[in-house]
Amino acid sequence: MKQPIKILFACGIAVALGSIFASPSNGQQPSQPTQEAVELAKLIGEIEQQQTQFTANQDDMEKRMTAIAEEMRMAKIHASRGGGAGK
């Protein structure tokens, strides 16, 4: 599940950076970055931070789910050994 998100994110960043740093067709370089380019760079930075946080949260959830699954497995084993409450 993580892989498609990373690929999509990388493609988005590549397109955004390509549009920011693409040279003008008339051969002149702009002396100052435009306000739009600055704002876009800020937004890209925010998206990168959100992506990092999302990935960390997803890893935490996977660890918790693994722990819960193990606890459920152990509970089933103990219930089957003790006869369970329903018998």
Side-chain angles (χ1 to χ4, degrees):
M1 181 110 181
K2 290 183 207 175
Q3 204 62 11
I5 293 171
K6 288 183 180 179
I7 292 171
L8 182 62
F9 181 70
C11 290
I13 294 297
V15 169
L17 289 176
S19 65
I20 291 173
F21 296 113
S23 61
S25 60
N26 61 6
Q28 295 178 347
Q29 293 291 335
S31 59
Q32 295 288 331
T34 63
Q35 182 66 24
E36 183 179 285
V38 172
E39 290 175 9
L40 187 58
K42 287 179 185 179
L43 289 174
I44 289 171
E46 289 177 17
I47 290 171
E48 288 174 341
Q49 290 174 349
Q50 290 174 358
Q51 179 69 21
T52 301
Q53 185 64 42
F54 178 78
T55 303
N57 289 345
Q58 188 173 5
D59 290 341
D60 289 342
M61 287 189 289
E62 287 175 2
K63 289 176 186 176
R64 289 177 187 166
M65 290 296 292
T66 302
I68 290 170
E70 179 63 18
E71 289 176 13
M72 291 293 294
R73 186 184 73 82
M74 294 300 293
K76 288 179 183 179
I77 290 171
H78 289 296
S80 68
R81 288 184 183 169
K87 291 188 179 181

